[in-house]
Amino acid sequence: MENRGETAGSVLRIEKSSIHDGDGLRTVLFLKGCPLRCLWCSTPESQRMVPERGLSREKCLRCGRCVEQCPQGALTMGEDGINFDRNRCAGCLKCASVCPSSAVVPYGKKMTANEAVREIAKDEIFYFHSGGGLTVSGGEPLDQSGFVREVLAGCCERGIDCAIESSFFAPWEKIEPLLPYISLLHVDIKHPDAEKHKKLIGVDNGLILENIRRADGAPYDFGLVIRTPLIPGINDGDEDIVKLAEIVKGLKKLRFMEFLAYHRLGTETYKRLGLDYPLAEIKTPDAAYMRRKAAVFKSAAGVTVKINGSIFE
């Protein structure tokens, strides 16, 4: 691969010392850009590929410097403070560079694969002692598959274990080149029913399920984890969980099934981006609810189940 490592990617952030995204201590490379629009998305700042800004209104001094610096006219001063036209923002982040109170919050930056690998490799010693490594997450990593492949290749050359978290909504041609580099693949099945999936996510699940089957039969040595976020009243019906079990239980590479409890940790980011949060009335389910749903699945599938990272017994 010529000039490998020079491909640029749109990176949301790099988080270190995660224990929830694969084995051991892991660095998680979060990317920007996602083709799906989940109603419960907790990282709306990851949906668009370009860097963008959020605004903490409680910190804003209304000095107007960001308005003066915006070349696109996306920012204006109103009676209630700064107004933002997200569609006009070009992601230059000049507004963030001049804000004296850090009220303007930048989301994302461009990095080359080599730059990303150098940052990831700073914690090599922790990976080797804990059995951890790199996990590439999103947004959707497959939207930047060329960049991701170069990052994975660079890490593998250094002996760093690699994993991916993906929706798997992408052509197989973007998926297969990444599989030789990973030891673990996390894939979401957000709803087992195609029509309900389309209403909740914006697309049906046909391509996702086909890609899961193809990955499960691919001649590469990696483990598979299927994840489903449980949203009360949205995708948690017992009949849907049984249908999910029918899809999952025959997968040969499956290590375990994981249910993730709905949470509202991204609601502040929606405010900063000037977006409405669509599921504001839904509450986070308690532990007893999660155990009941996991029991329904385990009875139907007969496979290992985790709840938010812990084994369900």
Side-chain angles (χ1 to χ4, degrees), residues 87-161:
N87 293 324
R88 298 185 70 173
C89 178
C92 69
L93 299 181
K94 290 182 179 180
C95 53
S97 67
V98 299
C99 180
S101 63
S102 299
V104 180
V105 183
Y107 295 121
K109 61 181 178 179
K110 293 291 184 180
M111 296 181 73
T112 67
N114 282 335
E115 290 171 336
V117 171
R118 284 195 293 270
E119 184 63 29
I120 294 160
K122 290 179 180 179
D123 290 326
E124 283 178 303
I125 188 170
F126 300 108
Y127 310 146
F128 297 145
H129 283 289
S130 70
L134 165 70
T135 299
V136 184
S137 189
E140 175 48 66
L142 300 177
D143 270 10
Q144 303 185 59
S145 60
F147 170 73
V148 171
R149 185 183 182 190
E150 292 184 15
V151 171
L152 297 177
C155 286
C156 285
E157 285 182 356
R158 303 186 71 119
I160 298 173
D161 179 80

Side-chain angles (χ1 to χ4, degrees), residues 50-122:
V50 297
E52 53 190 327
R53 43 62 81 214
L55 177 67
S56 295
R57 292 189 176 277
E58 65 275 11
K59 294 183 179 180
C60 181
L61 304 177
R62 301 189 184 184
C63 65
R65 294 183 187 180
C66 58
V67 176
E68 296 170 359
Q69 285 295 315
C70 181
Q72 306 299 323
L75 300 173
T76 55
M77 182 67 75
E79 292 184 2
D80 297 326
I82 301 296
N83 296 318
F84 174 54
D85 185 342
R86 195 177 186 216
N87 293 324
R88 298 185 70 173
C89 178
C92 69
L93 299 181
K94 290 182 179 180
C95 53
S97 67
V98 299
C99 180
S101 63
S102 299
V104 180
V105 183
Y107 295 121
K109 61 181 178 179
K110 293 291 184 180
M111 296 181 73
T112 67
N114 282 335
E115 290 171 336
V117 171
R118 284 195 293 270
E119 184 63 29
I120 294 160
K122 290 179 180 179

Side-chain angles (χ1 to χ4, degrees), residues 240-258:
D240 291 322
I241 290 177
V242 171
K243 189 173 182 179
L244 176 65
E246 292 300 314
I247 293 171
V248 168
K249 66 181 182 180
L251 297 173
K252 298 182 295 295
K253 294 183 185 293
L254 186 71
R255 286 178 53 176
F256 55 86
M257 175 74 197
E258 183 167 22

